[in-house]
């Protein structure tokens, strides 16, 4: 298994279907991956909708322990060599995984890579007209550009965690997400 996509969720029955549809195998051919949804005690029909509509998705329960613990539950269950975290309102573009997993395979010295992203704004159900091409983090692919990456990051241009594919071994070594943080666990990681 090349990749595990981990999605913590809580009461997102109206949105998670769009996330899971964007992860359809036909949209990401050539990459062996699994999708893990960790439900954090939803009181709506999130769990039922996922289990009924997406039988290939691994559905785990976390019972109200919070997003960082849900991500860690998914990490512990993941079979992939690489990990991507998504939220239950994120969408993945077609063929997003292939180039990045190949890059990680070809560059043993690299522990994570990322790609372009766009924001969409929505309250409730998703509509394609709500995609806002807001901004993209600059792609830094050369070793001598790593200083630029740090400067961008320190000046507030944060790289969204949902655009990063990590080596599972790195996440295992650092212990995953800090469960004591109530916000910004992804930025901390």
């Amino acid at each position: 298994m090349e990749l595990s996509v981990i999605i913590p969720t809580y009461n997102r029955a109206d949105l998670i279907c769009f996330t899971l549809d964007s992860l359809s195998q036909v949209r990401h051919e050539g990459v062996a991956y699994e999708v893990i949804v960790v439900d954090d005690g939803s009181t709506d029909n999130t769990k039922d909708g996922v289990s009924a509509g997406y039988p290939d998705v691994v559905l785990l329960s976390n019972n109200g322990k919070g997003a960082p613990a849900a991500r860690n539950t998914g990490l512990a269950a993941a079979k992939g060599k690489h990990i991507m975290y998504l939220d239950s309102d994120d969408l993945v573009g077609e063929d997003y995984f292939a180039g990045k997993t190949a890059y990680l395979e070809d560059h043993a010295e690299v522990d994570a890579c990322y790609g372009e992203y766009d924001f969409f704004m929505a309250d409730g159900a998703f509509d394609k007209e709500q995609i806002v091409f807001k901004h993209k983090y600059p792609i830094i692919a050369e070793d001598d550009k790593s200083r630029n990456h740090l400067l961008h990051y320190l000046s507030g241009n944060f790289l969204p965690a949902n655009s990063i594919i990590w080596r599972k071994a790195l996440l295992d070594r650092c212990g995953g997400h800090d469960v004591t943080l109530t916000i910004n666990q992804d930025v901390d990681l």
Side-chain angles (χ1 to χ4, degrees), residues 124-142:
F126 170 72
D127 184 339
K128 289 188 180 191
E129 280 83 49
Q130 294 168 317
I131 294 176
V132 177
F133 296 98
K134 189 171 180 182
H135 87 294
K136 297 173 181 353
Y137 193 88
I139 300 296
I140 304 196
E142 302 168 27

PDB file of all heavy atoms in Angstrom, residues 124-142:
ATOM      1  N   GLY A 124     -22.708  24.747   4.622  1.00  0.00           N
ATOM      2  CA  GLY A 124     -23.669  23.720   4.220  1.00  0.00           C
ATOM      3  C   GLY A 124     -23.139  22.915   3.060  1.00  0.00           C
ATOM      4  O   GLY A 124     -21.951  22.682   2.946  1.00  0.00           O
ATOM      5  N   ALA A 125     -24.014  22.524   2.163  1.00  0.00           N
ATOM      6  CA  ALA A 125     -23.644  21.668   1.047  1.00  0.00           C
ATOM      7  C   ALA A 125     -22.717  22.401   0.081  1.00  0.00           C
ATOM      8  O   ALA A 125     -22.814  23.611  -0.111  1.00  0.00           O
ATOM      9  CB  ALA A 125     -24.889  21.180   0.323  1.00  0.00           C
ATOM     10  N   PHE A 126     -21.838  21.653  -0.542  1.00  0.00           N
ATOM     11  CA  PHE A 126     -20.851  22.198  -1.467  1.00  0.00           C
ATOM     12  C   PHE A 126     -21.460  22.456  -2.837  1.00  0.00           C
ATOM     13  O   PHE A 126     -22.261  21.683  -3.329  1.00  0.00           O
ATOM     14  CB  PHE A 126     -19.689  21.208  -1.589  1.00  0.00           C
ATOM     15  CG  PHE A 126     -18.731  21.542  -2.680  1.00  0.00           C
ATOM     16  CD1 PHE A 126     -17.879  22.625  -2.551  1.00  0.00           C
ATOM     17  CD2 PHE A 126     -18.675  20.781  -3.823  1.00  0.00           C
ATOM     18  CE1 PHE A 126     -16.988  22.939  -3.550  1.00  0.00           C
ATOM     19  CE2 PHE A 126     -17.788  21.080  -4.834  1.00  0.00           C
ATOM     20  CZ  PHE A 126     -16.942  22.164  -4.692  1.00  0.00           C
ATOM     21  N   ASP A 127     -21.071  23.556  -3.452  1.00  0.00           N
ATOM     22  CA  ASP A 127     -21.464  23.897  -4.807  1.00  0.00           C
ATOM     23  C   ASP A 127     -20.197  24.329  -5.541  1.00  0.00           C
ATOM     24  O   ASP A 127     -19.412  25.118  -5.013  1.00  0.00           O
ATOM     25  CB  ASP A 127     -22.480  25.039  -4.762  1.00  0.00           C
ATOM     26  CG  ASP A 127     -23.024  25.408  -6.130  1.00  0.00           C
ATOM     27  OD1 ASP A 127     -22.387  25.100  -7.154  1.00  0.00           O
ATOM     28  OD2 ASP A 127     -24.098  26.027  -6.173  1.00  0.00           O
ATOM     29  N   LYS A 128     -19.984  23.824  -6.753  1.00  0.00           N
ATOM     30  CA  LYS A 128     -18.732  24.112  -7.471  1.00  0.00           C
ATOM     31  C   LYS A 128     -18.505  25.604  -7.701  1.00  0.00           C
ATOM     32  O   LYS A 128     -17.370  26.039  -7.853  1.00  0.00           O
ATOM     33  CB  LYS A 128     -18.682  23.340  -8.778  1.00  0.00           C
ATOM     34  CG  LYS A 128     -18.492  21.869  -8.536  1.00  0.00           C
ATOM     35  CD  LYS A 128     -18.258  21.104  -9.797  1.00  0.00           C
ATOM     36  CE  LYS A 128     -18.085  19.654  -9.393  1.00  0.00           C
ATOM     37  NZ  LYS A 128     -17.609  18.817 -10.421  1.00  0.00           N
ATOM     38  N   GLU A 129     -19.554  26.402  -7.729  1.00  0.00           N
ATOM     39  CA  GLU A 129     -19.388  27.849  -7.895  1.00  0.00           C
ATOM     40  C   GLU A 129     -18.715  28.496  -6.679  1.00  0.00           C
ATOM     41  O   GLU A 129     -18.297  29.637  -6.724  1.00  0.00           O
ATOM     42  CB  GLU A 129     -20.726  28.539  -8.163  1.00  0.00           C
ATOM     43  CG  GLU A 129     -21.191  28.428  -9.603  1.00  0.00           C
ATOM     44  CD  GLU A 129     -21.899  27.119  -9.862  1.00  0.00           C
ATOM     45  OE1 GLU A 129     -22.794  26.742  -9.080  1.00  0.00           O
ATOM     46  OE2 GLU A 129     -21.542  26.458 -10.855  1.00  0.00           O
ATOM     47  N   GLN A 130     -18.635  27.766  -5.574  1.00  0.00           N
ATOM     48  CA  GLN A 130     -18.043  28.316  -4.360  1.00  0.00           C
ATOM     49  C   GLN A 130     -16.524  28.164  -4.311  1.00  0.00           C
ATOM     50  O   GLN A 130     -15.896  28.621  -3.374  1.00  0.00           O
ATOM     51  CB  GLN A 130     -18.666  27.655  -3.134  1.00  0.00           C
ATOM     52  CG  GLN A 130     -20.128  28.006  -2.982  1.00  0.00           C
ATOM     53  CD  GLN A 130     -20.808  27.138  -1.954  1.00  0.00           C
ATOM     54  OE1 GLN A 130     -20.598  25.938  -1.902  1.00  0.00           O
ATOM     55  NE2 GLN A 130     -21.632  27.760  -1.133  1.00  0.00           N
ATOM     56  N   ILE A 131     -15.933  27.527  -5.331  1.00  0.00           N
ATOM     57  CA  ILE A 131     -14.476  27.423  -5.357  1.00  0.00           C
ATOM     58  C   ILE A 131     -13.903  28.813  -5.594  1.00  0.00           C
ATOM     59  O   ILE A 131     -14.282  29.510  -6.523  1.00  0.00           O
ATOM     60  CB  ILE A 131     -13.993  26.449  -6.441  1.00  0.00           C
ATOM     61  CG1 ILE A 131     -14.444  25.032  -6.104  1.00  0.00           C
ATOM     62  CG2 ILE A 131     -12.475  26.513  -6.579  1.00  0.00           C
ATOM     63  CD1 ILE A 131     -14.100  24.003  -7.152  1.00  0.00           C
ATOM     64  N   VAL A 132     -12.999  29.216  -4.740  1.00  0.00           N
ATOM     65  CA  VAL A 132     -12.331  30.503  -4.851  1.00  0.00           C
ATOM     66  C   VAL A 132     -10.840  30.209  -5.030  1.00  0.00           C
ATOM     67  O   VAL A 132     -10.214  29.606  -4.161  1.00  0.00           O
ATOM     68  CB  VAL A 132     -12.540  31.343  -3.570  1.00  0.00           C
ATOM     69  CG1 VAL A 132     -11.773  32.650  -3.658  1.00  0.00           C
ATOM     70  CG2 VAL A 132     -14.011  31.588  -3.330  1.00  0.00           C
ATOM     71  N   PHE A 133     -10.283  30.603  -6.166  1.00  0.00           N
ATOM     72  CA  PHE A 133      -8.861  30.391  -6.374  1.00  0.00           C
ATOM     73  C   PHE A 133      -8.120  31.461  -5.585  1.00  0.00           C
ATOM     74  O   PHE A 133      -7.685  32.471  -6.112  1.00  0.00           O
ATOM     75  CB  PHE A 133      -8.538  30.427  -7.867  1.00  0.00           C
ATOM     76  CG  PHE A 133      -9.205  29.316  -8.609  1.00  0.00           C
ATOM     77  CD1 PHE A 133     -10.386  29.512  -9.292  1.00  0.00           C
ATOM     78  CD2 PHE A 133      -8.660  28.044  -8.578  1.00  0.00           C
ATOM     79  CE1 PHE A 133     -11.014  28.474  -9.954  1.00  0.00           C
ATOM     80  CE2 PHE A 133      -9.279  26.991  -9.235  1.00  0.00           C
ATOM     81  CZ  PHE A 133     -10.450  27.209  -9.928  1.00  0.00           C
ATOM     82  N   LYS A 134      -8.027  31.211  -4.283  1.00  0.00           N
ATOM     83  CA  LYS A 134      -7.575  32.224  -3.340  1.00  0.00           C
ATOM     84  C   LYS A 134      -6.065  32.432  -3.386  1.00  0.00           C
ATOM     85  O   LYS A 134      -5.604  33.515  -3.683  1.00  0.00           O
ATOM     86  CB  LYS A 134      -8.020  31.842  -1.926  1.00  0.00           C
ATOM     87  CG  LYS A 134      -7.778  32.928  -0.915  1.00  0.00           C
ATOM     88  CD  LYS A 134      -8.430  32.584   0.398  1.00  0.00           C
ATOM     89  CE  LYS A 134      -8.170  33.672   1.401  1.00  0.00           C
ATOM     90  NZ  LYS A 134      -8.729  33.363   2.692  1.00  0.00           N
ATOM     91  N   HIS A 135      -5.297  31.426  -3.073  1.00  0.00           N
ATOM     92  CA  HIS A 135      -3.854  31.548  -3.202  1.00  0.00           C
ATOM     93  C   HIS A 135      -3.221  30.174  -3.123  1.00  0.00           C
ATOM     94  O   HIS A 135      -3.801  29.240  -2.607  1.00  0.00           O
ATOM     95  CB  HIS A 135      -3.263  32.487  -2.154  1.00  0.00           C
ATOM     96  CG  HIS A 135      -2.918  31.866  -0.842  1.00  0.00           C
ATOM     97  ND1 HIS A 135      -3.852  31.350   0.028  1.00  0.00           N
ATOM     98  CD2 HIS A 135      -1.721  31.674  -0.252  1.00  0.00           C
ATOM     99  CE1 HIS A 135      -3.242  30.895   1.112  1.00  0.00           C
ATOM    100  NE2 HIS A 135      -1.957  31.065   0.960  1.00  0.00           N
ATOM    101  N   LYS A 136      -2.068  30.089  -3.701  1.00  0.00           N
ATOM    102  CA  LYS A 136      -1.333  28.842  -3.694  1.00  0.00           C
ATOM    103  C   LYS A 136       0.010  29.109  -3.033  1.00  0.00           C
ATOM    104  O   LYS A 136       0.644  30.119  -3.275  1.00  0.00           O
ATOM    105  CB  LYS A 136      -1.123  28.330  -5.107  1.00  0.00           C
ATOM    106  CG  LYS A 136      -2.407  28.005  -5.844  1.00  0.00           C
ATOM    107  CD  LYS A 136      -2.076  27.670  -7.278  1.00  0.00           C
ATOM    108  CE  LYS A 136      -3.211  27.354  -8.175  1.00  0.00           C
ATOM    109  NZ  LYS A 136      -4.491  27.223  -7.760  1.00  0.00           N
ATOM    110  N   TYR A 137       0.414  28.204  -2.204  1.00  0.00           N
ATOM    111  CA  TYR A 137       1.731  28.298  -1.596  1.00  0.00           C
ATOM    112  C   TYR A 137       2.766  28.107  -2.691  1.00  0.00           C
ATOM    113  O   TYR A 137       2.582  27.281  -3.571  1.00  0.00           O
ATOM    114  CB  TYR A 137       1.875  27.204  -0.535  1.00  0.00           C
ATOM    115  CG  TYR A 137       3.056  27.393   0.377  1.00  0.00           C
ATOM    116  CD1 TYR A 137       2.937  28.147   1.524  1.00  0.00           C
ATOM    117  CD2 TYR A 137       4.275  26.831   0.078  1.00  0.00           C
ATOM    118  CE1 TYR A 137       3.997  28.321   2.370  1.00  0.00           C
ATOM    119  CE2 TYR A 137       5.349  27.008   0.913  1.00  0.00           C
ATOM    120  CZ  TYR A 137       5.214  27.751   2.060  1.00  0.00           C
ATOM    121  OH  TYR A 137       6.271  27.932   2.893  1.00  0.00           O
ATOM    122  N   PRO A 138       3.848  28.864  -2.691  1.00  0.00           N
ATOM    123  CA  PRO A 138       4.833  28.711  -3.772  1.00  0.00           C
ATOM    124  C   PRO A 138       5.469  27.321  -3.735  1.00  0.00           C
ATOM    125  O   PRO A 138       5.830  26.820  -2.680  1.00  0.00           O
ATOM    126  CB  PRO A 138       5.877  29.791  -3.462  1.00  0.00           C
ATOM    127  CG  PRO A 138       5.696  30.103  -2.024  1.00  0.00           C
ATOM    128  CD  PRO A 138       4.255  29.835  -1.696  1.00  0.00           C
ATOM    129  N   ILE A 139       5.569  26.703  -4.903  1.00  0.00           N
ATOM    130  CA  ILE A 139       6.211  25.397  -5.007  1.00  0.00           C
ATOM    131  C   ILE A 139       7.718  25.600  -4.945  1.00  0.00           C
ATOM    132  O   ILE A 139       8.289  26.368  -5.712  1.00  0.00           O
ATOM    133  CB  ILE A 139       5.811  24.700  -6.323  1.00  0.00           C
ATOM    134  CG1 ILE A 139       4.304  24.492  -6.381  1.00  0.00           C
ATOM    135  CG2 ILE A 139       6.572  23.385  -6.490  1.00  0.00           C
ATOM    136  CD1 ILE A 139       3.742  23.572  -5.319  1.00  0.00           C
ATOM    137  N   ILE A 140       8.358  24.934  -4.003  1.00  0.00           N
ATOM    138  CA  ILE A 140       9.803  25.035  -3.833  1.00  0.00           C
ATOM    139  C   ILE A 140      10.371  23.645  -4.061  1.00  0.00           C
ATOM    140  O   ILE A 140      10.222  22.766  -3.223  1.00  0.00           O
ATOM    141  CB  ILE A 140      10.160  25.578  -2.440  1.00  0.00           C
ATOM    142  CG1 ILE A 140       9.448  26.900  -2.282  1.00  0.00           C
ATOM    143  CG2 ILE A 140      11.664  25.622  -2.242  1.00  0.00           C
ATOM    144  CD1 ILE A 140       9.825  27.814  -1.246  1.00  0.00           C
ATOM    145  N   ALA A 141      10.979  23.444  -5.217  1.00  0.00           N
ATOM    146  CA  ALA A 141      11.430  22.115  -5.603  1.00  0.00           C
ATOM    147  C   ALA A 141      12.952  21.985  -5.662  1.00  0.00           C
ATOM    148  O   ALA A 141      13.463  20.927  -5.944  1.00  0.00           O
ATOM    149  CB  ALA A 141      10.830  21.744  -6.957  1.00  0.00           C
ATOM    150  N   GLU A 142      13.661  23.055  -5.408  1.00  0.00           N
ATOM    151  CA  GLU A 142      15.118  23.000  -5.485  1.00  0.00           C
ATOM    152  C   GLU A 142      15.703  23.118  -4.086  1.00  0.00           C
ATOM    153  O   GLU A 142      15.216  23.867  -3.250  1.00  0.00           O
ATOM    154  CB  GLU A 142      15.633  24.148  -6.356  1.00  0.00           C
ATOM    155  CG  GLU A 142      15.061  24.126  -7.771  1.00  0.00           C
ATOM    156  CD  GLU A 142      15.347  25.414  -8.520  1.00  0.00           C
ATOM    157  OE1 GLU A 142      16.339  26.093  -8.211  1.00  0.00           O
ATOM    158  OE2 GLU A 142      14.544  25.751  -9.399  1.00  0.00           O
TER     159      GLU A 142
END
